[in-house]
Amino acid sequence: MSASKVTVAELVAAARKARRAAQAHFSKFKVGAALETEDGQIITGCNIENATYGLTMCAERVAMFKALSEGHRRFRRVVVVADTQAPTPPCGPCRQILWEYAGDVEVVMANLKRETGRHRLSDLLPLPFDARLLKKK
Ligand code: THU
């Protein structure tokens, strides 16, 4: 894979901007995400809540579903931004979706002022279940 065309700072800025559109009326916990595609495009998402609560969609999955629906298939990194001192890592379902569609990407966490953490997705989701296992007899 060739060198990145966008910086982490640009991705963090995009995720912070996306976070402003969050529909977090119930939790008040606004999240923004930014995916970097292999060819250097930035696809963002924010969390979208719902009055039945259970239909809530996290920022990371909104970003990934947007990206997939626009034809993107290869990714380098994902940035997650929340207004917290501690890192806000992707939830379990988001880790699964990110793993299946983005592979072992770098996951960068940030708040409104600074970066709060950086991990490989494989460290956040050890021993994943994925399509390779469906083919094994
Ligand atoms: N949320 C995200 O969007 N991403 C995360 O990584 C953690 C949680 C959202 C879901 C819900 O709308 C709110 O944050 C509180 O859980």
Side-chain angles (χ1 to χ4, degrees):
M1 212 187 269
S2 56
S4 253
K5 295 187 179 88
V6 296
T7 64
V8 170
E10 287 172 306
L11 288 161
V12 168
R16 284 181 183 143
K17 186 175 177 200
R19 179 183 167 275
R20 290 195 234 131
Q23 299 296 297
H25 310 295
F26 305 100
S27 72
K28 313 289 184 206
F29 192 84
K30 295 184 170 192
V31 184
L35 272 171
E36 178 187 354
T37 66
E38 193 184 54
D39 61 354
Q41 294 185 61
I42 299 176
I43 312 295
T44 61
C46 61
N47 54 327
I48 299 177
E49 298 182 351
N50 170 272
T52 64
Y53 293 14
L55 297 179
T56 291
M57 191 56 63
C58 294
E60 297 91 319
R61 272 176 289 163
V62 170
M64 180 53 86
F65 295 153
K66 278 174 65 182
L68 291 170
S69 73
E70 290 165 17
H72 301 288
R73 293 291 181 267
R74 296 177 70 86
F75 305 91
R76 289 173 185 279
R77 283 190 284 221
V78 59
V79 170
V80 186
V81 166
D83 187 10
T84 54
Q85 288 306 310
T88 294
C91 74
C94 285
R95 293 179 198 202
Q96 180 70 26
I97 293 294
L98 288 168
W99 176 263
E100 289 195 43
Y101 287 103
D104 194 14
V105 286
E106 186 174 46
V107 180
V108 179
M109 289 155 271
N111 61 27
L112 304 190
K113 293 201 167 65
R114 62 182 175 84
E115 187 177 314
T116 52
R118 215 180 259 223
H119 300 274
R120 302 299 312 179
L121 185 56
S122 54
D123 294 325
L124 300 179
L125 189 69
L127 200 62
F129 180 84
D130 58 36
R132 287 174 304 178
L133 296 166
L134 295 173
K135 292 182 189 119
K136 297 265 158 53
K137 288 264 159 51

